[in-house]
Amino acid sequence: MQLIFLGSSDDHGVPRVGCQCAVCESARQAGSRNHRTLPSVALRYGPSYAERLVLVDVTPEFRMQTAGQNLAPFDALFLTHAHEAHFLGLKLLLDAQRDAGQALPLYAPPQVLEDVRERLSWLWNEKSYRRVLQPETLHGPVDLWGLQVDLVRLDHGIGGTAYGYILSDGDRRLAYLSDMLRATAEVRQALSGPSGRDRLDLLVLGASHYYEGIETWKRSVMDVIAALELVRDVTPGRAVLTHLSHTVDYDEVTERLPESTLLAYDGLVVEV
C-alpha cells in the first residue's frame, strides 16, 4: 500500500489569509513544507495489473492537490465527516470521474451521507452526475477489491462526531484518524485489531497544534503532545501527524519528534 498526503493542514489551510506569523510567512516561500492545503489522502494498493486508487475526503483544493500527480480517476471515495473542508471538492471529483467515464462509489456513515446530500443536493439531482455518483451507506466493515475497510467512530470535540478508517491489505494495516480529540476505548480497541494484538504498520493522527493550552471543551482535534502519548500507547511501526495548523513549524517540531514519527506535508508518500 502507498499512502499519499494530498493535503496536511487543518480546515483553515497554511498560510492563512492575511496572517503574517512566522509559519505563514514561511509557507509563502516556494518549496516550504509549511505550505499546507486542506486535509485529504489517497491510497494506492493492489497488484500492478489491477491497481486501485481510493480517496479519503475531497477538499475544495482537490484540483490543485491531484492534477500535478496524475491521480485520477479514483475507484472509491470515503468521507470522514461533513465539515466543508472535507467534502466541498465533490463536484470537481465527479467532473474528473465523468470525463474518465468511471463511476464513483461514495462511502460514508448514514448521518455523514445525509448531511452531504442535503448540502449538495443538486449533485444528487443533476442527471449527468447521477450517472457517476454511487452513494453507499457504511454501517460496518467493507471489502473493496481485497482492501478491508473498518469504520471507527471518533470524538471530534466541539466538532461533534467524525470517523476514521482502518485499512488492511493482507497483513499490512494502517489507520487514518484525522479529526479526533480523545481516543475512546472503542478507538483503542479498533487500533488493536480483532485479536487485541494486531500491530499497526502506520498510524495517522490529526494534531492541529504542538500544545493547545485551552479548555478541552473548546477544542476539536488533539495536539502533538497528546498524539505522541497515543503513539507510545499503540506502538505502531510508524506514525504521521497531519491536520497541522499555522502554529506548527515543520522544521522546529520535526526536531522534537521520535525517529518513527513524522509530520505530514503536501505530497508526502508513505509506503506501507
Side-chain angles (χ1 to χ4, degrees):
M1 292 190 290
Q2 186 183 72
L3 191 67
I4 305 160
F5 286 81
L6 303 179
S8 56
S9 79
D10 63 358
D11 289 2
H12 299 282
V14 184
R16 291 193 180 187
V17 175
C19 183
Q20 297 179 340
C21 74
V23 173
C24 285
E25 291 291 4
S26 166
R28 295 185 178 100
Q29 305 303 311
S32 171
R33 289 187 175 177
N34 283 326
H35 184 277
R36 304 172 182 126
T37 58
L38 301 177
S40 175
V41 293
L43 179 73
R44 182 181 281 124
Y45 69 98
S48 58
Y49 59 84
E51 191 173 80
R52 299 291 181 176
L53 188 61
V54 171
L55 184 65
V56 181
D57 288 338
V58 57
T59 80
E61 297 168 312
F62 170 77
R63 185 189 65 81
M64 294 188 302
Q65 293 173 332
T66 58
Q69 301 189 55
N70 198 27
L71 288 176
F74 287 87
D75 293 291
L77 166 67
F78 288 85
L79 294 179
T80 60
H81 58 311
H83 288 174
E84 286 81 356
H86 296 261
F87 73 86
L88 278 186
L90 182 57
K91 178 189 179 296
L92 297 171
L93 173 57
L94 291 176
D95 285 340
Q97 298 292 124
R98 184 177 58 185
D99 292 346
Q102 184 166 325
L104 179 75
L106 189 169
Y107 293 90
Q111 190 60 55
V112 175
L113 206 54
E114 181 180 332
D115 289 347
V116 172
R117 179 170 182 167
E118 180 180 340
R119 298 181 199 184
L120 299 177
S121 59
W122 56 278
L123 288 177
W124 267 254
N125 297 328
E126 170 63 42
K127 184 177 180 180
S128 63
Y129 290 121
R130 288 205 310 267
R131 295 193 184 104
V132 179
L133 182 60
Q134 298 180 347
E136 300 282 351
T137 302
L138 269 181
H139 294 283
V142 62
D143 186 284
L144 210 61
W145 305 288
L147 181 74
Q148 174 77 19
V149 181
D150 291 288
L151 182 69
V152 187
R153 183 184 176 95
L154 305 179
D155 175 0
H156 193 14
I158 62 171
T161 297
Y163 292 86
Y165 293 99
I166 298 177
L167 310 170
S168 306
D169 183 15
D171 61 354
R172 293 168 295 168
R173 298 176 71 235
L174 73 86
Y176 183 76
L177 314 178
S178 62
D179 290 71
M180 179 176 70
L181 179 59
R182 289 169 289 249
T184 63
E186 176 186 354
V187 169
R188 292 176 182 271
Q189 182 177 359
L191 295 179
S192 299
S195 73
R197 299 183 300 276
D198 295 332
R199 188 176 188 230
L200 282 170
D201 296 285
L202 178 66
L203 174 59
V204 181
L205 295 172
S208 293
H209 306 275
Y210 185 77
Y211 173 70
E212 191 172 15
I214 62 173
E215 297 95 329
T216 302
W217 66 269
K218 295 180 180 179
R219 299 168 55 192
S220 60
V221 177
M222 63 175 52
D223 56 27
V224 172
I225 298 298
L228 291 178
E229 290 177 359
L230 182 58
V231 170
R232 284 192 290 269
D233 291 345
V234 175
T235 64
R238 286 174 293 170
V240 178
L241 307 184
T242 189
H243 205 285
L244 307 169
S245 80
H246 69 156
T247 66
V248 178
D249 181 88
Y250 182 88
D251 292 332
E252 289 183 7
V253 174
T254 293
E255 291 180 357
R256 307 181 193 180
L257 298 179
E259 186 175 347
S260 60
T261 300
L262 309 173
L263 288 186
Y265 56 87
D266 290 19
L268 172 67
V269 177
V270 180
E271 301 285 345
V272 182

